[in-house]
Amino acid sequence: MSDDMFDLAIIGAGPAGFAAGIYAGRSGLRTVILEKQMAGGQVVISPLIENWPGEKEISGPDLSMKFREHARRYVEIREFSEVVSVTGKKPFIITTPEGEVKAKALIIATGAEHRKLGVPGEEALGGRGISYCATCDGFFFKGKDVMVIGGGSTALLYAIYLHNIDCNVKLVHRRDEFRGEKALQDQVRSLKIELVLNTKVEEFIGDEQLEGVRLRNVKNGEVSEMKVNGAFVAVGEIPMNEIARSLGIKLDSEGYIKVDRRMSTSVPGVFAAGDITGGLKQIIVAAGEGAIAGTSAFEYLMEPYWTENH
Ligand code: NAP
């Protein structure tokens, strides 16, 4: 077997990819995890996690470091190794800037990325006051005026985190009800974080740096400008499905990969796990799906077991 011939390649090093790697590696599969950035996935941007069993409170970066160290016992992890294309089948030929990797089975655990608001000024002021990650960039706004945009758990968590590092936070949401977890809503209210409800962002204003945001109240149409130093956009995610598309894998109407209970996709030998499959986007779900996908990849490679059981 050449150095770059693996039983299994996992694309994406988030909770799903790590869990898949741990299960596959422990089953005896020679496994590589390919990650285009630093390992960790979306967990890294989560300031605080309170629903991973066994850890009452842990930061995203700490939990993801634990996942990484655990997975490294069983699999090779190649970070900053972006998959450019996947061709062939059994083996799949995976091209990265460093060369080709071959693998008899594949798990796609590429997750989802931040949705943008798509309003004027967002592109130009990205990284100049507009951020999509409070844990990464919050520190730069200590003691300053910031806005968090969104009404899901991510927006609520960002608002709490930024408040706790002494930012003056306004939480802007387009409705008057939050879809985020009730426990987080309660925390936001008990911290008396200022809520700006029924309000949409129309434009980000600033030349070199973000200076303010133009808002519209959706109930009465009133337009206003709010001065802020930072804006944290947390309006959901979109699936990173380019590789799946290129392989002709069936997707649902929102672009998430369709899987069966074994996390098999519509292409034999390709499995998927984590946020890329849609549904409940939780670390524990991603890890659980990863465990199933890693086990299924092992069973798939143990033919005739796979064919007899399908
Ligand atoms: P999300 O739950 O999809 O919420 C996105 C929010 O952004 C919604 O409130 C939505 O408003 C708003 N929004 C979307 N497009 C918008 C636009 N163009 N303009 C203004 N607002 C817009 O996304 P998320 O908060 O990133 O969470 C993603 C997933 O991760 C969810 O499944 C969530 O449960 C999970 N998660 C869980 C935790 C936790 O359990 N502690 C923490 C973080 C994330 P509407 O409500 O009006 O649609």
Side-chain angles (χ1 to χ4, degrees):
M1 208 190 295
S2 87
D3 266 3
D4 274 352
M5 179 72 197
F6 291 87
D7 295 316
L8 172 67
I10 298 169
I11 307 176
F18 285 138
I22 291 167
Y23 275 74
R26 286 171 58 82
S27 301
L29 298 187
R30 184 162 186 252
T31 302
V32 63
I33 300 181
L34 301 166
E35 166 58 51
K36 71 173 176 182
Q37 295 169 331
M38 202 178 71
Q42 294 277 77
V43 182
V44 173
I45 65 163
S46 203
L48 186 65
I49 291 151
E50 296 178 308
N51 54 13
W52 177 255
E55 301 275 4
K56 287 189 201 120
E57 285 188 357
I58 186 164
S59 77
D62 285 352
L63 183 60
S64 98
M65 194 53 73
K66 286 188 172 195
F67 287 163
R68 180 177 182 275
E69 287 314 300
H70 192 170
R72 256 160 49 105
R73 291 177 73 172
Y74 305 108
V75 303
E76 184 178 332
I77 301 172
R78 297 189 189 172
E79 292 171 287
F80 303 103
S81 186
E82 180 163 15
V83 172
V84 180
S85 69
V86 182
T87 53
K89 55 179 181 183
K90 221 177 179 193
F92 296 96
I93 298 159
I94 302 151
T95 308
T96 72
E98 295 79 41
E100 277 180 5
V101 171
K102 293 195 182 83
K104 293 177 222 158
L106 199 65
I107 295 177
I108 302 177
T110 43
E113 64 186 343
H114 308 295
R115 179 181 288 129
K116 296 203 166 155
L117 279 169
V119 298
E122 186 175 18
E123 209 64 56
L125 295 166
R128 297 165 182 267
I130 300 178
S131 167
Y132 300 82
C133 172
T135 338
C136 322
D137 303 324
F139 180 79
F140 301 112
F141 299 93
K142 233 173 169 351
K144 297 192 174 165
D145 294 327
V146 301
M147 174 183 289
V148 174
I149 301 138
S153 291
T154 304
L156 297 168
L157 269 171
Y158 280 10
I160 296 163
Y161 175 80
L162 292 163
H163 171 91
N164 287 342
I165 60 164
D166 284 338
C167 294
N168 176 25
V169 184
K170 290 185 174 65
L171 177 54
V172 176
H173 178 37
R174 64 182 177 185
R175 292 189 294 133
D176 58 2
E177 274 176 23
F178 293 104
R179 71 169 64 219
E181 222 178 88
K182 169 82 167 48
L184 296 172
Q185 294 186 34
D186 293 346
Q187 275 189 59
V188 162
R189 293 209 164 89
S190 74
L191 292 170
K192 300 196 179 352
I193 290 171
E194 192 178 328
L195 305 179
V196 183
L197 302 175
N198 297 314
T199 300
K200 275 189 165 180
V201 168
E202 284 210 325
E203 185 181 355
F204 291 103
I205 306 159
D207 293 328
E208 290 297 300
Q209 199 67 28
L210 179 70
E211 289 162 20
V213 181
R214 192 179 335 274
L215 302 170
R216 178 182 292 272
N217 183 304
V218 295
K219 292 269 174 189
N220 59 21
E222 216 171 81
V223 176
S224 61
E225 256 181 52
M226 192 181 280
K227 289 209 176 314
V228 284
N229 306 106
F232 290 83
V233 181
V235 294
E237 301 174 336
I238 45 176
M240 310 249 269
N241 59 18
E242 297 81 3
I243 294 163
R245 277 182 196 279
S246 76
L247 285 166
I249 287 171
K250 282 195 183 137
L251 306 174
D252 69 15
S253 59
E254 291 176 63
Y256 291 96
I257 296 179
K258 283 188 176 177
V259 285
D260 65 12
R261 291 191 64 183
R262 289 169 180 253
M263 310 316 291
S264 305
T265 70
S266 59
V267 170
V270 183
F271 304 84
D275 286 1
I276 187 66
T277 69
L280 185 62
K281 295 197 186 105
Q282 296 287 308
I283 302 168
I284 194 160
V285 175
E289 289 189 358
I292 298 171
T295 306
S296 293
F298 168 72
E299 291 176 351
Y300 169 74
L301 293 173
M302 293 300 117
E303 285 190 279
Y305 176 91
W306 183 261
T307 17
E308 278 166 12
N309 287 278
H310 278 75

